[in-house]
Amino acid sequence: MSGGGAPQGAGSGGEGCTCVADEEGCRLEEDGGSGFSDISDSELLSLQDAAESGDTCSAKKEGLEIIHDNCGKSDVSTGAEQGHHSHHMGLNSAENPVPSDSAQRKRKQKSPTPLEKYSMKHLAVTDICNQIWCEQQMVYKIEQPTVHRPESRAIINEGSSIHLARELEVHDVVPVTTQSREDSWALKCLNILAMIPVLQSGGRIREFPVFRELDGIMVVGVIDELGYSSKGELELRELKTRATPTLPRLAQKKSHELQVCLYKLLFDGMVSGVLQADAVMQHENLRPEQELGADVKEHAIKCGLTVTTLRDVLELTFLNLTFSELPRIDSLKLEYCYQGDSSFLGFDTVTFKEESVMEQVTFYLSYWKGQRDIQGVDIEDAWKCRMCDFADICEWRRNTPRLYRTMTKRFK
DNA sequence: ATTGCTGAAGGG
């Protein structure tokens, strides 16, 4: 069951709070139920309020037009069901139109890299983790983010709500309206600024945003939990909720392990000063002097900060990160628990080997830079296809007949 | 720049 409670408005009793970008309610999906079902009642209410009070509810981002007197969940015009990555695929028809060396301007002749093709400014840590599971599937997920078999969807929703419940144990979540990507980044920074002192005083935090350039690509993520072990070491904890009361098998563990290693790589970089405001601005194509939205500025004031532009916030954040002398992450822990009865299944301690992690990162990012072809699952991993949401449309499978036979074989 | 494109993680 999806019990994900709504992050209610600014609670007063918490030890802290996190702001979530409340993109004017644009986190909507066509299908009222199977999609991101955790749009909460309170979010819907605030949407309706906004509509009634005549607020423009135009959601240009995502190419989604909402008729604003019908701003309810069931009335979302589609167009978003393919998500933001829904650039029409398969434009190969017009390819290489005769290299008429004359009129052809200085446009790049070479085909775009996958990163360019999907207009991605950055990769998420979880993109890379999906990539380690199956690169072909990861691409399908980017192209069609809302495609899920119902059973996958239910398990994922349950996991989300358990995570949210845990988050609410350590701080409140207050919705903040963002009007631009600059606003979203500012909010991310405000969250970091709010969490630094908690870490400094030995406290525990959840949902810590991290980002850093790796191999020329911006990688962003959110650390599930940071706290201190009994030995006083800074410890990263990543909760994995499971649909079966079993520990994961190797293939899945590999993905989880890389996930926490990537978080450490990003976090350590941030506290040791490798971040530069300009690099972030360039990668993300942000306007540094753009004035921040009213709600973001208002929230900054509540945090005791007077800021007007994203540059202000970013630089403040980087200064704080480097001068707070936060430790690097000492220990990486995966915690598994069973969705059914919340019982604890076990811990895994992950060893961080920098060379090995960087080697993997280089390999996975090379795909995004167009340096190699896509690589679907190997024969021995063909079992993954049996529970893949995209099995029936998969090019990799179609082009790998041996894989298909292995996959469909009912072994034993 | 056919001028702008995205909360990440969520589980297997």
Side-chain angles (χ1 to χ4, degrees), chain A residues 206-264:
Chain A
R206 279 196 156 261
E207 310 286 311
F208 187 94
V210 286
F211 46 96
R212 176 184 175 179
E213 183 186 308
L214 293 177
D215 275 1
I217 295 178
M218 187 60 87
V219 179
V220 313
V222 177
I223 294 177
D224 193 24
E225 180 171 335
L226 283 172
Y228 293 89
S229 70
S230 49
K231 285 182 254 171
E233 297 174 325
L234 182 56
E235 184 173 88
L236 179 151
R237 301 161 198 141
E238 171 67 34
L239 171 69
K240 295 294 177 200
T241 73
R242 308 210 13 105
T244 55
T246 56
L247 287 172
R249 295 174 57 196
L250 183 64
Q252 197 156 31
K253 266 175 65 172
K254 271 171 62 185
S255 154
H256 295 164
E257 289 173 2
L258 183 59
Q259 184 179 5
V260 293
C261 287
L262 283 168
Y263 288 147
K264 172 171 164 56

Side-chain angles (χ1 to χ4, degrees), chain A residues 150-254:
Chain A
E151 53 270 46
S152 308
R153 173 49 63 199
I155 294 166
I156 289 169
N157 283 347
E158 180 61 18
S160 297
S161 70
I162 293 172
H163 273 265
L164 178 59
R166 289 231 189 170
E167 180 182 3
L168 293 175
E169 288 172 12
V170 305
H171 55 216
D172 296 321
V173 176
V174 288
V176 174
T177 304
T178 57
Q179 296 165 351
S180 62
R181 292 184 308 107
E182 285 79 5
D183 279 357
S184 308
W185 275 86
L187 207 51
K188 199 189 290 238
C189 289
L190 290 176
N191 280 327
I192 292 172
L193 287 168
M195 293 190 212
I196 289 173
V198 182
L199 278 181
Q200 278 184 309
S201 59
R204 182 166 68 107
I205 49 135
R206 279 196 156 261
E207 310 286 311
F208 187 94
V210 286
F211 46 96
R212 176 184 175 179
E213 183 186 308
L214 293 177
D215 275 1
I217 295 178
M218 187 60 87
V219 179
V220 313
V222 177
I223 294 177
D224 193 24
E225 180 171 335
L226 283 172
Y228 293 89
S229 70
S230 49
K231 285 182 254 171
E233 297 174 325
L234 182 56
E235 184 173 88
L236 179 151
R237 301 161 198 141
E238 171 67 34
L239 171 69
K240 295 294 177 200
T241 73
R242 308 210 13 105
T244 55
T246 56
L247 287 172
R249 295 174 57 196
L250 183 64
Q252 197 156 31
K253 266 175 65 172
K254 271 171 62 185

Side-chain angles (χ1 to χ4, degrees), chain A residues 58-69:
Chain A
S58 70
K60 277 291 187 229
K61 301 160 266 191
E62 308 193 356
L64 176 68
E65 296 280 358
I66 299 178
I67 310 302
H68 73 78
D69 47 350

Side-chain angles (χ1 to χ4, degrees), chain A residues 188-352:
Chain A
K188 199 189 290 238
C189 289
L190 290 176
N191 280 327
I192 292 172
L193 287 168
M195 293 190 212
I196 289 173
V198 182
L199 278 181
Q200 278 184 309
S201 59
R204 182 166 68 107
I205 49 135
R206 279 196 156 261
E207 310 286 311
F208 187 94
V210 286
F211 46 96
R212 176 184 175 179
E213 183 186 308
L214 293 177
D215 275 1
I217 295 178
M218 187 60 87
V219 179
V220 313
V222 177
I223 294 177
D224 193 24
E225 180 171 335
L226 283 172
Y228 293 89
S229 70
S230 49
K231 285 182 254 171
E233 297 174 325
L234 182 56
E235 184 173 88
L236 179 151
R237 301 161 198 141
E238 171 67 34
L239 171 69
K240 295 294 177 200
T241 73
R242 308 210 13 105
T244 55
T246 56
L247 287 172
R249 295 174 57 196
L250 183 64
Q252 197 156 31
K253 266 175 65 172
K254 271 171 62 185
S255 154
H256 295 164
E257 289 173 2
L258 183 59
Q259 184 179 5
V260 293
C261 287
L262 283 168
Y263 288 147
K264 172 171 164 56
L265 211 51
L266 303 190
F267 182 90
D268 289 0
M270 290 172 84
V271 300
S272 54
V274 307
L275 283 178
Q276 288 192 335
D278 288 332
V280 177
M281 300 292 188
Q282 280 170 21
H283 274 287
E284 300 293 329
N285 194 21
L286 296 163
R287 298 160 296 182
E289 313 304 336
Q290 166 86 359
E291 182 155 357
L292 297 172
D295 209 18
V296 174
K297 283 195 290 191
E298 190 183 316
H299 187 80
I301 288 170
K302 284 181 198 148
C303 301
L305 303 170
T306 312
V307 290
T308 30
T309 67
L310 176 59
R311 180 179 291 287
D312 298 340
V313 193
L314 263 184
E315 281 174 354
L316 201 54
T317 306
F318 295 164
L319 279 175
N320 263 268
L321 277 169
T322 44
F323 289 103
S324 299
E325 303 197 311
L326 291 175
R328 299 181 178 216
I329 293 170
D330 296 302
S331 131
L332 300 170
K333 285 230 156 63
L334 290 162
E335 176 188 344
Y336 294 101
C337 79
Y338 178 42
Q339 289 188 352
D341 60 3
S342 301
S343 59
F344 172 74
L345 296 173
F347 275 119
D348 248 340
T349 303
V350 179
T351 318
F352 181 84

